[in-house]
Amino acid sequence: MSLLNFFVNLPVRYIYDQKNYLSYFLKKRVQPELGLDFLSLDEFPINWHKEVAQCFQAEDLKVAVHFPFLDLRPGSMDPMILKASRERLKKAVEVAFYYQPVHAIAHVGYFSVDYDDFYKEWLENSVETWEEISRHIGGEFPLFLENVWEEEIEPLRDFWEYISVDNLGFCLDVGHWFSFGKGKEKENLSQWLQNLAPYLRHLHLHDNDGLEDKHLGLGEGEIPFSELFAGLELLELKPSFTLEPHTQEDFFASLHFIDQHRRWFSYLGVKETNFKRYMAETSLD
Amino acid sequence: MTVKKEVQTLIVPPACAQQKLISFLKQKTKGEIPYSALMRLIRRGEVRVNKRRSKPFYRLQAGDEVRIPPYYASQKETAPPFSLHIVFEDKNLLVLEKPAGLALHKGSKTPCSLQEMLLNHFVDKDFVPTPVHRLDKETSGLLLLAKNFATLTSLQKNWSQVEKRYLAWVKGEIKKETILEDYLLKTPHKIVFSPQGKKAISRVKPLLFLKSKQITLLEIKILTGRTRQIRAQLGLRNHPLLGDKKFKEFTTPFLALHAYYLKLPSKALYSYPSWPKPYWQERFKKLI
């Protein structure tokens, strides 16, 4: 068990390329959200995945997985792209089984420029895709779909109202909402939270300046985290969460931020009190 | 400028079943006919339901045929000074953030009203979203509207079970959480404490005290729903709300009262005030 009680993103490709990532997570007892991409699915031997999974299981560390997203279009109009997207996701499910994850993350994939004129078709195709993927998962772990480029709440809300699959939740990526979703400009976090509250199960936490999706440490950008936590408390929502820093410095900044805002994070179940121990000794560079 | 509207025959959709004829007509004529004129049209038998005379408070049935006689409508060309800010929406509910200064209904001093804006915005809807509760013109915050008549009646019937919380800045310091229990009597010009009045109960909780200005930010939970309850209970205790002209408090040009939280049996809703600094300098921090 980890005292951190949350997840930190870690592309499996990093483990494959540099062993010190794996040893850091194991030594510091950090729960990973393992990013699976097409390369790790097609090129890495299954036995390698099994060994990595075994390392975390041996340390009694929970694992989450993040499904591939590059080039994928789960609601595509083009039957061939749609088929390829579904096959790629199914392959990710099969590899994910080895890790026995507590949850998996994937992207909703609404691109307004492409789909605004084919809204109904996008919705139907998406629902069919995720129903198919959920059947493939077979109730082994919950799947949370994350916002990326969505600027409006409607496609997300319509999707969850339309689909009827157990164990399918929404993952609010606050960094994506603030930058891609124009949250900085629109100041509409409360609307996102209130409209998607019934489906919210997980958070992706990182920071940015509202212009680019920089994946900075928490507090290093301009995301109104006070609004986020006030909203969660008012709506009585307690989602699990993953930190998504892109550098070790940003990870440390996020830990420092959690340390400085214990009241907020204890609401989300964080029990750890000694954050310094995660920052000492080990460097990932 | 006036425009002649021709005779209309409308079929009552299921969403409007059980709605009174007069309120159905108010919605369908988009406020273009004054209430008194509508009553007159019904009484004279010019409005027909299923080709027969009807009473203003007749409850319509789905499928009823309502005939609206020709009438002259006045057209306005100016854009309204407010816009509709939707906080939440589903098939039964619409939740708006009402700005301070926007009245729910049209009046002699309030040419622009929310009712009018709703009629314009939802012109294509069978049932124009209708406020479930009141909110004073100068009060900002959450306003719950029903998108069909069944939801409206159900929510109004159970309104006392909905938890309502407000944020307010008041003059002076309130140091600890207190229950205010009073009897409020409405007289022609003001509200006073009186044993003949109606019981009003509010729970006030101080969130922040600004020493330099000697003002307190309060979270107020109302347990009864009397007219201007919060303003009266605090104003009569020498803690008037900032900007409450009824209690001769002129510190701010706006009334510092915001309906910020509603808890229905199935969901919670919230909205934060857009008060200027320093009244919202510590935005959100002290609320959690």
Side-chain angles (χ1 to χ4, degrees):
Chain A
M1 221 184 111
S2 168
L3 279 175
L4 278 184
N5 223 19
F6 52 83
F7 297 88
V8 179
N9 77 307
L10 175 63
V12 291
R13 208 194 282 205
Y14 286 18
I15 303 177
Y16 197 80
D17 293 341
Q18 286 176 272
K19 277 276 185 287
N20 57 350
Y21 277 97
L22 181 60
S23 54
Y24 178 85
F25 273 68
L26 295 173
K27 190 176 168 192
K28 299 291 183 183
R29 306 195 57 71
V30 179
Q31 301 179 152
E33 186 178 289
L34 297 170
L36 301 170
D37 59 7
F38 68 92
L39 200 68
S40 62
L41 297 178
D42 291 349
E43 303 294 329
F44 298 177
I46 288 298
N47 278 342
W48 181 86
H49 285 294
K50 286 181 182 172
E51 279 168 26
V52 174
Q54 181 55 38
C55 290
F56 289 111
Q57 281 154 19
E59 292 296 326
D60 198 21
L61 284 173
K62 286 180 189 167
V63 169
V65 295
H66 195 307
F67 287 168
F69 52 86
L70 186 67
D71 293 337
L72 301 189
R73 296 287 186 125
S76 178
M77 302 298 108
D78 184 329
M80 290 176 80
I81 304 290
L82 190 59
K83 190 175 174 219
S85 300
R86 287 172 179 170
E87 281 182 13
R88 174 57 71 202
L89 288 164
K90 280 186 194 168
K91 177 118 191 228
V93 171
E94 283 153 23
V95 172
F97 283 142
Y98 296 114
Y99 289 96
Q100 298 178 24
V102 291
H103 69 253
I105 302 281
H107 291 180
V108 174
Y110 186 79
F111 301 88
S112 62
V113 175
D114 294 342
Y115 298 136
D116 275 358
D117 291 340
F118 306 97
Y119 190 76
K120 190 170 165 278
E121 290 80 2
W122 170 82
L123 194 57
E124 285 171 357
N125 289 346
S126 296
V127 166
E128 208 175 307
T129 297
W130 296 114
E131 281 176 349
E132 199 174 319
I133 301 305
S134 297
R135 276 196 300 275
H136 211 63
I137 292 171
E140 291 296 312
F141 50 83
L143 175 62
F144 306 144
L145 301 185
E146 159 192 359
N147 60 300
V148 184
W149 291 98
E150 291 78 6
E151 287 181 32
E152 307 293 336
I153 300 163
E154 283 69 23
L156 300 166
R157 195 180 54 199
D158 289 348
F159 171 79
W160 265 282
E161 276 182 5
Y162 197 163
I163 198 163
S164 57
V165 168
D166 292 337
N167 264 342
L168 186 77
F170 173 53
C171 166
L172 173 66
D173 188 306
V174 289
H176 294 165
W177 159 75
F178 198 60
S179 55
F180 299 138
K182 297 197 167 64
K184 182 182 179 179
E185 193 184 307
K186 296 181 176 179
E187 295 184 345
N188 59 353
L189 182 58
S190 74
Q191 284 96 308
W192 275 66
L193 283 175
Q194 294 184 78
N195 282 279
L196 297 166
Y199 323 109
L200 184 70
R201 300 278 297 276
H202 195 71
L203 296 170
H204 271 179
L205 299 180
H206 48 105
D207 212 340
N208 63 59
D209 58 5
L211 302 172
E212 284 175 62
D213 181 32
K214 291 181 172 171
H215 283 261
L216 302 173
L218 308 185
E220 300 291 298
E222 298 170 37
I223 290 179
F225 285 103
S226 51
E227 285 191 37
L228 172 70
F229 283 91
L232 292 175
E233 192 162 327
L234 285 167
L235 298 173
E236 298 171 11
L237 301 171
K238 291 188 178 185
S240 49
F241 71 95
T242 300
L243 295 180
E244 286 201 319
H246 275 187
T247 67
Q248 193 177 27
E249 290 71 33
D250 288 319
F251 175 48
F252 290 169
S254 293
L255 291 180
H256 181 68
F257 185 86
I258 294 171
D259 192 24
Q260 297 294 304
H261 298 88
R262 287 192 194 176
R263 161 90 175 77
W264 295 350
F265 288 91
S266 65
Y267 175 77
L268 294 186
V270 176
K271 295 186 179 82
E272 178 61 280
T273 52
N274 178 17
F275 291 96
K276 286 200 175 81
R277 73 190 189 90
Y278 297 92
M279 303 183 210
E281 301 163 35
T282 318
S283 168
L284 294 171
D285 297 327
Chain B
M1 182 184 163
T2 55
V3 174
K4 188 180 179 190
K5 294 282 176 83
E6 295 303 329
V7 65
Q8 299 170 59
T9 305
L10 306 171
I11 303 296
V12 175
C16 298
Q18 291 303 311
Q19 191 177 14
K20 288 172 192 157
L21 173 63
I22 184 74
S23 21
F24 180 78
L25 289 173
K26 255 169 76 182
Q27 287 190 348
K28 293 300 164 193
T29 56
K30 301 177 213 121
E32 291 167 340
I33 310 178
Y35 184 83
S36 54
L38 274 177
M39 291 293 273
R40 209 163 41 240
L41 289 173
I42 301 171
R43 278 200 301 267
R44 281 185 190 159
E46 290 181 53
V47 170
R48 314 285 281 188
V49 178
N50 300 328
K51 302 197 169 136
R52 302 175 71 172
R53 295 173 81 100
S54 186
K55 299 230 162 96
F57 302 109
Y58 164 71
R59 290 195 180 270
L60 294 163
Q61 305 298 313
D64 276 353
E65 188 186 284
V66 178
R67 176 195 182 269
I68 304 174
Y71 65 92
Y72 286 93
S74 58
Q75 273 194 340
K76 286 203 188 78
E77 280 153 20
T78 48
F82 300 100
S83 56
L84 289 179
H85 188 192
I86 297 172
V87 172
F88 173 83
E89 189 172 6
D90 66 13
K91 64 179 191 306
N92 295 318
L93 286 178
L94 176 73
V95 183
L96 299 178
E97 223 164 48
K98 186 188 92 60
L102 177 64
L104 294 198
H105 302 287
K106 205 169 163 180
S108 54
K109 291 178 188 168
T110 51
C112 174
S113 71
L114 181 76
Q115 187 188 33
E116 209 175 21
M117 290 168 69
L118 291 166
L119 289 167
N120 288 328
H121 193 85
F122 296 97
V123 68
D124 57 327
K125 300 288 179 201
D126 290 339
F127 185 92
V128 175
T130 306
V132 173
H133 58 107
R134 287 179 48 81
L135 211 53
D136 281 352
K137 181 183 168 189
E138 297 310 326
T139 306
S140 58
L142 291 173
L143 183 72
L144 199 62
L145 299 104
K147 288 171 80 174
N148 51 62
F149 193 67
T151 304
L152 180 67
T153 47
S154 157
L155 278 168
Q156 284 180 333
K157 200 172 144 195
N158 299 304
W159 190 241
S160 60
Q161 288 161 34
V162 174
E163 185 181 330
K164 303 129 199 149
R165 289 193 235 159
Y166 292 74
L167 291 173
W169 280 102
V170 296
K171 224 170 177 177
E173 184 175 15
I174 293 181
K175 287 183 177 165
K176 57 179 186 183
E177 191 171 332
T178 320
I179 300 276
L180 308 178
E181 197 170 328
D182 304 301
Y183 286 86
L184 298 177
L185 183 69
K186 225 172 119 181
T187 69
H189 299 293
K190 57 184 178 177
I191 297 172
V192 294
F193 287 150
S194 163
Q196 280 80 49
K198 288 181 177 170
K199 196 172 183 176
I201 311 172
S202 306
R203 191 202 69 190
V204 300
K205 183 177 163 188
L207 299 174
L208 178 68
F209 175 61
L210 280 190
K211 205 175 170 186
S212 60
K213 290 184 172 284
Q214 292 291 306
I215 54 175
T216 308
L217 176 65
L218 298 175
E219 183 196 64
I220 302 150
K221 182 174 165 183
I222 57 166
L223 304 168
T224 52
R226 306 296 172 217
T227 307
R228 290 197 277 278
Q229 175 171 325
I230 296 172
R231 295 164 70 177
Q233 285 195 290
L234 287 155
L236 293 171
R237 282 181 169 80
N238 291 323
H239 288 297
L241 271 62
L242 299 197
D244 193 349
K245 294 177 185 67
K246 288 204 184 290
F247 287 89
K248 312 220 177 323
E249 210 300 319
F250 300 99
T251 310
T252 57
F254 58 91
L255 177 70
L257 180 62
H258 184 84
Y260 98 104
Y261 180 83
L262 288 173
K263 190 170 184 193
L264 309 174
S266 60
K267 79 169 12 280
L269 296 153
Y270 71 94
S271 130
Y272 288 112
S274 53
W275 296 328
K277 282 183 181 180
Y279 306 104
W280 207 232
Q281 201 165 23
E282 293 292 307
R283 202 174 180 212
F284 311 110
K285 276 189 187 167
K286 298 287 172 182
L287 295 177
I288 61 171

